[in-house]
Amino acid sequence: MTTITPTQAKSSTDRTAWQQFLSSSAATYVLPTGAIALCLVLWEIAVQLFGIPEFVLPAPSSIFAIIGQWSGVVWQNSLVTLQTTLIGFAIALVAGLLLGFLIGYSKVAYTTLYPILVGFNTIPKVAIVPLLAIWFGIGTIPAVVTAFLLAFFTIAVNVSLGLATVEPEMRDVLKSLGASQFEIFQKVGFPHSLPYLFASLKIAISQAFIGSVISETVASNKGIGYVIVSATATFDIDLAFLCLFALGLMGIALYAICAAIEQRTVHWIR
């Protein structure tokens, strides 16, 4: 007969409590927050320990110290970047869904359009921004178009992949039961593609932010990208890093929104 010592029992209880914590919703907030706080502390210590000049890498404490001075500027320009990002992302979502469904269901469309998509996606979008500035002028439109271009490919490819991976046997069974193509799409194709869609959305929203900021650094007189360029030009590195923090917070917030919608929509895969 095996005897369990008090130490072993306590260790087992601790492991069980830890596993329960990891499976709880609180862990999704506590662990990332703790990791971010740890990174900031290590960053602060490294800057102070190695005496890194502020114009090279400012400490988090000096960045947070200017929030009161620049909060209005960062907030207003963050809203501009957020607006262009969401517009570009929304257009990419609609266009990506339509093209993804077309490619996923049509062999002819896949053979014809997919190589074009891959070829276009390999073109660095930063090389297109100057052309967009010539065509549309300096301002919002180049940022929206660049956000769209970076988000569109990811959505279209993942949606088409989700439809293409539907089991042929399931389609054959529904056809034998008299289901139309639309009914097959409604009952099988669309639900099957949802996990792929939401996986792409969480990536595409980040890509859309990147597109907006890239355009704002080249072809805009407002937005977070423009503020970063202006701050680095005057060696105000604290302000540049504050803008980067603002971008990170917006990206995390939109990612969390996509993840929350995914959890409610495709709960059957959890």
Side-chain angles (χ1 to χ4, degrees), residues 32 36 206 209 245-258:
I36 293 173
S206 300
F209 262 116
F245 283 172
L247 280 174
L249 289 175
M250 288 191 295
I252 292 173
L254 291 181
Y255 179 95
I257 292 173
C258 291

Side-chain angles (χ1 to χ4, degrees), residues 11-195:
S11 176
S12 176
T13 303
D14 291 342
R15 284 197 300 269
T16 302
W18 175 248
Q19 291 172 354
Q20 290 177 348
F21 170 72
L22 290 179
S23 61
S24 66
S25 59
T28 59
Y29 301 99
V30 174
L31 293 180
T33 303
I36 293 173
L38 178 60
C39 289
L40 291 175
V41 170
L42 294 177
W43 180 357
E44 182 78 27
I45 293 174
V47 171
Q48 302 297 337
L49 184 62
F50 296 104
I52 301 175
E54 187 172 328
F55 66 87
V56 175
L57 180 64
S61 57
S62 63
I63 297 173
F64 296 146
I66 66 168
I67 291 179
Q69 177 184 357
W70 292 104
S71 59
V73 173
V74 174
W75 172 254
Q76 292 174 2
N77 287 276
S78 295
L79 292 180
V80 172
T81 300
L82 181 62
Q83 180 184 15
T84 56
T85 298
L86 291 178
I87 294 174
F89 177 74
I91 299 173
L93 175 58
V94 175
L97 282 173
L98 294 176
L99 187 60
F101 289 146
L102 179 62
I103 292 176
Y105 265 107
S106 172
K107 181 66 175 178
V108 175
Y110 177 86
T111 305
T112 305
L113 299 177
Y114 196 82
I116 299 175
L117 280 176
V118 173
F120 183 77
N121 190 59
T122 58
I123 301 175
K125 303 306 179 288
V126 67
I128 302 178
V129 175
L131 296 176
L132 296 176
I134 294 175
W135 296 338
F136 302 108
I138 302 295
T140 301
I141 296 181
V144 171
V145 174
T146 311
F148 160 77
L149 293 176
L150 264 74
F152 167 74
F153 180 81
T154 302
I155 297 174
V157 169
N158 277 272
V159 171
S160 64
L161 179 62
L163 293 174
T165 53
V166 175
E167 295 82 357
E169 295 81 4
M170 188 175 294
R171 292 181 180 178
D172 294 338
V173 169
L174 290 176
K175 285 181 181 179
S176 66
L177 295 174
S180 64
Q181 285 291 342
F182 177 77
E183 289 173 332
I184 294 175
F185 165 75
Q186 182 184 16
K187 300 297 184 181
V188 177
F190 183 68
H192 190 273
S193 66
L194 282 178

